């Protein structure tokens, strides 16, 4: 299957290893993976702040990049949610762009959604002998509706110990520009989230959106808590390498 | 408005609230209880999503035909002998109440809980003309004694604990009281009973007005609304113009949706329906009944595809109980009569966008409010639309505008984006330590005050890509 990556600006510039892991997993699953280089960002920071013209110009990079793609996969439920829910209205004024936006929405999947729903794979032969807790990001789970898939993939990992995160569905306080604009409220929210992560005694916090994980990870680090923060793709990739090593 | 948090912007008020450990603990405790009960009750009830759908349909239909149903409602009320008043503004509604009070030479009024009366500051207006007003909902009574405003739509005294309540009651009564719920409630009951007996006017809100019958439905857990509307000779109802439902069978749907969403109660303790003043053959009821239907900025939302659905709201407060922002800062930090997500959307709308302009930003857009809403109002989308309006009408800081212009320049083109990342990588050098940035400078201080920010790594994903694709594809 031919798959184009929408890697997101945060993963591209700050967390490239998430993109590397995503690429390798898809390649292992037999996908022919491409990365159209015209892409930058979904435009969500501008859109959520009320700057629609700015968001449209940035979103255009995705419409152009993925025009000829069959399937688009991205390591962010938030950015995919942006495409699904807001692109059709963002480009409503131009019939051609609107059609391109609807087409893009129809062929774009969040990583775990693509693995479970499209490839129908939940067991990658990964092995990860650690205590892990999972934070479900709001946009991916609530707005995009990807609620069970990340956990299905985690449950397919061998030797993993999954502990429930208290108040798991409460927002971590990221919210894009909210974290800067309303820094004090956002700081209080992420403090509570980091406390809850610490209470689980997990070695690893895993999630599906690097915005949220950068936020929680930043707070864990500031409060000197030695919790490793990983994207689901990173955990699975590491687990697959260990799985192979054990089986070899 | 006399609240303990009367500073001018949401940042200052939030800071104050965040420093108040007691307030935050109290809000955590109560909202946890409410949302857990709601989850249990709706799970047990079953088909909750279908009930929400039905609730949304009914509200959508009603608001789309609001002129028709309001007309039907008013005609039926009048046929039962009630006086109907339409008030365009809060001042007009207050004026109507004052005129009625003056005509009755009223000295004392009792009230059941009503957010609309808070919205128009009715107590203040009545007290100004010498009418003593007593709140009879226990929570409202507590905050009235404290000289405050509600900090939650359903639980007005959510921010008070039993010690504070005892102190307020002792100061009011001169009696010695314990902090036992039984003793505190007994005092309020004794005290309020006298008020019902001596009041000239009873003022209630209206949870739902039923158009087909001209009835007012009131939901309480204390039965106080029944006493308020039946004991005094005159009953005044204040309601927002959106508060109608077409039929009694529609009320059945909301008799499920409202208490389950608000407090996690399967049914409300008292659901009282009053249809007109006392008739000749009836033993009780007010002799005279006035229903004041208030616009106060609501009709501006009618016909506006962006915001009409805000009129679907049934004021259950479920969005407050799940809101992670409300959880941290409580209600007073919003600085508006309506706090939480509903308040952040509604307050600027009711006030024509000129005040409460910072409230639409007091949200991380997590969507928990939408998920909790019994009539599926997309509050998170409305907050973005309000931000769009503020941008379109120039109500934003020049620095923010410049930042998004730069964002458009840089992220609108992959080449420019790549160049910018390369420059940023070099510029961050003096700030980054161990791969992280902690410096509290410029606009990033909002972030770095409470958390570390990862420094940009040596290579972006797109710089790693050529190697990846060479090694990988065609392996599977």
């Amino acid at each position: 299957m031919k798959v184009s990556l929408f890697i997101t600006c945060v993963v591209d510039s700050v967390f490239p290893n998430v993109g590397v892991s995503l690429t390798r997993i898809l390649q292992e699953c037999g996908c022919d993976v491409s990365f159209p280089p015209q892409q930058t960002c979904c435009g969500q920071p501008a859109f959520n702040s009320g700057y629609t013209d700015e968001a449209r110009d940035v979103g255009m990079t995705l419409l152009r990049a993925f025009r000829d793609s069959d399937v688009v996969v991205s390591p962010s439920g938030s950015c995919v949610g942006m495409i699904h829910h807001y692109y059709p209205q963002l480009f409503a004024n131009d019939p051609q762009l609107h059609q391109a936006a609807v087409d893009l929405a129809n062929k774009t999947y969040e990583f775990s959604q693509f693995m479970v729903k499209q490839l129908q794979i939940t067991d990658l032969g990964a092995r990860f002998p650690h205590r892990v807790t999972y934070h479900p990001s709001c946009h991916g789970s609530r707005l995009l509706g990807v609620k069970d898939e990340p956990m299905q993939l985690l449950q397919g990992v061998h030797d993993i110990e999954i502990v429930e995160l208290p108040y798991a569905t409460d927002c971590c306080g990221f919210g894009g520009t909210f974290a800067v604009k309303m820094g004090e409220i956002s700081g209080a929210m992420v403090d509570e989230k980091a406390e809850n992560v610490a209470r689980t005694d997990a070695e690893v916090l895993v999630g599906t959106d690097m915005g949220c994980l950068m936020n929680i990870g930043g707070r864990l680090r500031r409060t000197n808590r030695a919790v490793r923060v990983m994207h689901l793709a990173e955990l699975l990739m590491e687990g697959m390498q260990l799985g192979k090593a054990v089986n070899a | 408005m006399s609240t303990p948090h009367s500073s001018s912007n949401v940042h200052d008020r939030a800071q104050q609230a965040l420093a108040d450990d007691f307030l935050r603990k109290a809000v955590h405790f109560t909202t946890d209880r409410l949302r857990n009960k709601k989850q249990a009750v709706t799970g047990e009830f079953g088909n909750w999503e279908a009930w929400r759908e039905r609730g949304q349909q009914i509200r959508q239909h009603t608001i789309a035909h609001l002129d028709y149903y309001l007309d039907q409602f008013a005609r039926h009320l009048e046929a039962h002998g009630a006086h109907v008043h339409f008030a365009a503004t809060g001042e007009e509604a207050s004026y109507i109440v004052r005129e009625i009070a003056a005509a009755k030479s009223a000295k004392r009024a009792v009230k059941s809980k009503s957010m609309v009366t808070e919205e128009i500051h009715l107590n203040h207006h009545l007290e100004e003309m010498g009418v003593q007003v007593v709140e009879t909902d226990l929570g409202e009574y507590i905050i009235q004694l404290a000289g405050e405003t509600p900090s939650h739509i359903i639980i007005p005294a959510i921010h008070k604990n039993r010690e504070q309540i005892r102190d307020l009651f002792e100061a009011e009564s001169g009696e010695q009281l314990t902090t036992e719920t039984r003793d505190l409630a007994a005092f309020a009951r004794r005290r309020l009973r006298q008020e019902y007996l001596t009041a000239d006017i009873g003022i209630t809100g209206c949870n739902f007005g039923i158009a087909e019958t001209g009835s007012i439905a009131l939901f309480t857990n204390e039965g106080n609304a029944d006493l308020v509307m039946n004991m005094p000779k005159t009953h005044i109802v204040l309601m927002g113009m959106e508060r109608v439902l077409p039929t009694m069978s529609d009320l059945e749907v909301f008799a499920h949706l409202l208490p389950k969403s608000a407090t996690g109660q399967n049914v409300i303790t008292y659901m009282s329906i009053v249809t007109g003043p006392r008739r000749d053959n009836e033993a009780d009821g007010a002799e005279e009944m006035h229903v004041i239907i208030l616009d106060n900025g609501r009709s501006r939302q009618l016909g506006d595809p962006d915001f009409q659905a805000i009129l679907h709201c049934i004021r259950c407060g479920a969005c407050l109980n799940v809101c992670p922002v409300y959880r941290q800062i409580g209600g007073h930090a919003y600085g508006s009569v309506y706090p939480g997500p509903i308040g952040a959307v509604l307050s600027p709308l009711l006030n024509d966008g000129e005040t409460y302009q910072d409230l639409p930003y007091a949200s991380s857009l997590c969507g928990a409010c939408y998920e909790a809403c019994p009539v599926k109002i997309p509050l998170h989308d409305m907050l973005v639309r309000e931000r769009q309006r503020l941008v379109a009408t120039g109500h934003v800081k020049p620095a923010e505008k410049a930042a998004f212009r730069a964002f458009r320049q840089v992220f609108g083109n992959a080449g420019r984006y790549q160049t910018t990342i390369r420059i940023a990588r070099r510029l961050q050098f003096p700030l980054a330590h161990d791969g992280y940035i902690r410096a509290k400078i410029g606009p990033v201080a909002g972030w770095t005050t409470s958390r570390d920010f990862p420094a940009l790594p040596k290579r972006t994903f797109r710089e790693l890509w050529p190697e990846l694709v060479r090694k990988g594809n065609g392996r599977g």
Side-chain angles (χ1 to χ4, degrees):
Chain A
M1 190 186 294
K2 281 190 173 173
V3 174
S4 297
L5 298 178
F6 163 38
I7 217 69
T8 80
C9 57
V10 169
V11 167
D12 183 53
S13 62
V14 189
F15 302 103
N17 188 52
V18 174
V20 172
S21 304
L22 171 64
T23 307
R24 294 222 173 108
I25 292 171
L26 292 174
Q27 285 171 337
E28 286 285 331
C29 294
C31 297
D32 184 0
V33 185
S34 68
F35 175 77
Q38 306 96 310
Q39 63 179 291
T40 61
C41 162
C42 67
Q44 194 174 185
F47 182 80
N48 282 355
S49 300
Y51 292 81
T52 36
D53 292 343
E54 289 78 357
R56 204 177 293 117
D57 270 10
V58 173
M60 282 292 292
T61 65
L62 301 194
L63 295 190
R64 280 193 219 108
F66 301 113
R67 192 180 310 162
D68 300 322
S69 301
D70 299 336
V71 171
V72 180
V73 176
S74 173
S76 164
S78 184
C79 307
V80 172
M82 172 74 196
I83 294 171
H84 275 232
H85 295 295
Y86 303 114
Y87 269 29
Q89 72 178 65
L90 190 59
F91 294 102
N93 288 336
D94 180 315
Q96 263 183 325
L97 292 179
H98 180 255
Q99 191 52 49
V102 171
D103 290 345
L104 180 60
N106 288 336
K107 65 187 178 190
T108 303
Y109 300 88
E110 181 274 334
F111 162 64
S112 69
Q113 184 184 33
F114 179 72
M115 293 300 293
V116 175
K117 289 280 154 67
Q118 295 307 113
L119 296 183
Q120 308 202 330
I121 294 175
T122 51
D123 187 348
L124 287 154
R127 197 166 289 280
F128 198 77
H130 299 283
R131 191 173 162 91
V132 174
T133 194
Y134 164 65
H135 168 68
S137 286
C138 305
H139 286 178
S141 59
R142 271 195 204 106
L143 303 185
L144 190 62
V146 178
K147 288 188 191 246
D148 302 329
E149 291 87 337
M151 196 46 96
Q152 281 172 279
L153 285 164
L154 284 174
Q155 278 160 351
V157 175
H158 302 256
D159 300 336
I160 194 170
E161 182 193 354
I162 303 169
V163 279
E164 198 184 326
L165 177 64
Y167 297 93
T169 57
D170 279 17
C171 175
C172 71
F174 177 58
T177 52
F178 171 79
V180 176
K181 195 161 175 146
M182 295 281 163
E184 62 284 269
I185 302 173
S186 168
M189 288 160 72
V190 73
D191 182 56
E192 190 178 352
K193 181 61 76 177
E195 284 284 337
N196 283 327
V197 171
R199 274 166 57 197
T200 64
D201 283 325
E203 299 158 71
V204 175
L205 168 70
V206 68
T208 54
D209 249 298
M210 288 320 294
C212 317
L213 292 177
M214 172 169 76
N215 183 42
I216 307 169
R219 183 63 190 168
L220 286 167
R221 195 170 186 280
R222 179 63 61 88
T223 50
N224 298 315
R225 289 185 169 110
V227 181
R228 194 173 166 208
V229 178
M230 299 174 90
H231 189 279
L232 178 61
E234 290 178 301
L235 186 151
L236 292 174
M237 188 59 224
E238 221 178 275
M240 283 162 75
Q241 283 167 341
L242 183 64
K244 274 186 194 161
V246 169
N247 290 334
Chain B
M1 207 185 326
S2 61
T3 73
H5 305 273
S6 46
S7 340
S8 59
N9 72 58
V10 73
H11 286 284
D12 297 343
R13 293 188 303 260
Q15 290 283 19
Q16 245 178 301
L18 289 170
D20 188 343
D21 280 344
F22 167 74
L23 166 82
R24 294 175 67 201
K25 268 192 204 128
V27 171
H28 285 206
F29 175 79
T30 306
T31 52
D32 275 357
R33 218 174 37 132
L34 293 174
R35 69 193 227 190
N36 291 338
K37 276 173 72 185
K38 181 197 167 190
Q39 204 172 12
V41 157
T42 53
E44 205 177 298
F45 186 54
N47 298 319
W48 185 243
E49 287 311 305
W51 282 95
R52 287 177 77 209
E53 286 282 338
R54 186 71 192 122
Q56 181 188 32
Q57 283 167 3
I58 294 170
R59 291 303 291 156
Q60 239 161 18
H61 170 85
T62 311
I63 298 303
H65 303 91
L66 188 60
D67 52 345
Y68 173 81
Y69 288 115
L70 270 179
D71 176 61
Q72 193 187 15
F73 178 59
R75 278 189 291 109
H76 286 148
L77 278 167
E78 279 168 350
H80 295 303
H83 303 273
V84 180
H85 313 261
F86 283 91
T89 62
E91 292 79 49
E92 209 177 310
S94 287
Y95 177 78
I96 296 165
V97 177
R98 288 205 307 268
E99 288 285 289
I100 298 166
K104 302 290 166 195
S105 308
K107 293 274 173 292
R108 305 170 81 84
V110 279
K111 265 184 73 195
S112 71
K113 195 174 144 18
S114 151
M115 287 307 293
V116 163
T117 60
E118 298 285 345
E119 180 185 321
I120 66 173
H121 310 295
L122 182 65
N123 291 10
H124 171 74
H125 292 300
L126 283 171
E127 278 154 11
E128 243 180 14
M129 67 178 285
V131 177
Q132 197 201 336
V133 186
V134 176
E135 295 286 349
T136 66
D137 171 88
L138 185 54
E140 288 282 347
Y141 181 57
I142 292 164
I143 59 158
Q144 186 183 31
L145 291 180
E148 295 177 13
T149 54
S151 68
H152 188 289
I153 292 174
I154 297 294
I155 321 285
I158 190 170
H159 57 290
K160 292 260 179 273
N161 70 4
R162 55 180 70 238
E163 281 76 24
Q164 293 171 316
I165 295 166
R166 182 213 39 213
D167 293 347
L168 287 166
F169 284 6
E170 284 190 346
E172 174 68 9
S173 64
E175 297 173 29
Q176 287 251 308
L177 298 166
T178 73
T179 55
E180 291 295 311
T181 307
R182 181 198 300 254
D183 286 350
L184 296 173
F187 163 72
R189 183 187 294 257
R190 268 197 318 278
R191 184 56 192 267
L192 293 173
R193 188 133 298 181
Q194 298 161 11
E195 301 292 343
Y196 295 120
L197 292 168
T198 55
D200 306 297
I201 294 178
I203 301 169
T204 69
C206 166
N207 288 105
F208 301 103
I210 314 300
E212 72 169 350
T213 58
S215 307
I216 307 291
L218 285 161
F219 290 51
T220 73
N221 277 320
E222 297 158 29
N224 57 315
D226 300 74
L227 293 167
V228 168
M229 67 188 178
N230 284 310
M231 308 275 291
K233 285 188 174 166
T234 304
H235 175 202
I236 302 175
V237 179
L238 268 125
M239 61 186 281
M241 63 187 281
E242 81 284 12
R243 220 110 284 277
V244 286
L245 288 176
T247 66
M248 278 290 172
S249 59
D250 294 325
L251 180 64
E252 188 201 338
V253 175
F254 289 93
H256 286 299
L257 288 175
L258 179 55
K260 287 180 177 71
S261 301
T263 51
Q265 286 171 285
N266 218 343
V267 287
I268 194 77
T269 315
Y270 297 88
M271 182 172 84
S272 314
I273 299 174
V274 59
T275 308
R278 182 202 300 213
R279 293 170 185 75
D280 290 341
N281 59 346
E282 287 176 340
D284 55 14
E287 289 171 11
E288 201 171 306
M289 181 179 181
H290 294 265
V291 179
I292 302 170
I293 301 168
L294 178 69
D295 182 336
N296 208 27
R298 288 165 175 75
S299 58
R300 262 201 306 273
Q301 319 319 322
L302 282 173
D304 183 337
D306 285 348
F307 297 110
Q308 180 164 307
I310 202 67
L311 301 176
H312 300 171
C313 175
I314 59 170
R315 305 288 190 268
C316 69
C319 59
L320 279 63
N321 299 337
V322 297
C323 177
V325 172
Y326 182 88
R327 180 176 175 84
Q328 300 301 338
I329 64 174
H332 287 150
Y334 288 82
S336 157
V337 170
Y338 299 103
I342 179 64
V345 175
L346 188 62
S347 307
L349 291 176
L350 290 183
N351 292 281
D352 204 12
E354 286 304 316
T355 43
Y356 306 114
Q357 283 178 2
D358 47 5
L359 289 190
Y361 297 99
S363 166
S364 63
L365 306 177
C366 77
C369 46
Y370 168 63
E371 196 175 60
C373 178
V375 293
K376 300 176 78 166
I377 302 172
L379 291 162
H380 60 299
D381 286 344
M382 288 183 172
L383 288 166
V384 172
R385 289 179 208 143
E386 286 185 337
R387 297 175 187 183
Q388 286 170 0
R389 277 197 185 179
L390 291 166
V391 171
T393 53
H395 289 91
V396 286
K397 286 188 182 143
E400 184 187 286
K401 229 174 147 173
F404 281 107
R405 203 177 303 135
F407 172 76
R408 178 192 213 159
Q409 279 294 312
V410 172
F411 288 81
N413 174 286
R416 278 197 296 270
Y417 160 77
Q418 227 173 325
T419 308
T420 308
I421 294 289
R422 286 199 193 111
I423 296 169
R425 223 157 26 198
R426 252 177 275 144
L427 289 180
Q428 71 175 355
F429 180 70
L431 301 174
H433 301 283
D434 287 341
Y436 284 86
I437 296 169
R438 284 188 163 193
K440 300 176 182 83
I441 45 156
V444 296
W447 180 285
T448 46
T449 299
S450 51
R451 59 222 125 171
D452 293 357
F453 194 87
L456 296 174
K458 287 201 180 78
R459 292 206 285 170
T460 59
F461 176 79
R462 68 187 65 218
E463 286 163 341
L464 296 170
W465 174 252
E467 202 177 312
L468 268 174
V469 74
R470 206 169 42 241
K471 278 192 199 158
N473 277 343
R475 279 209 307 204

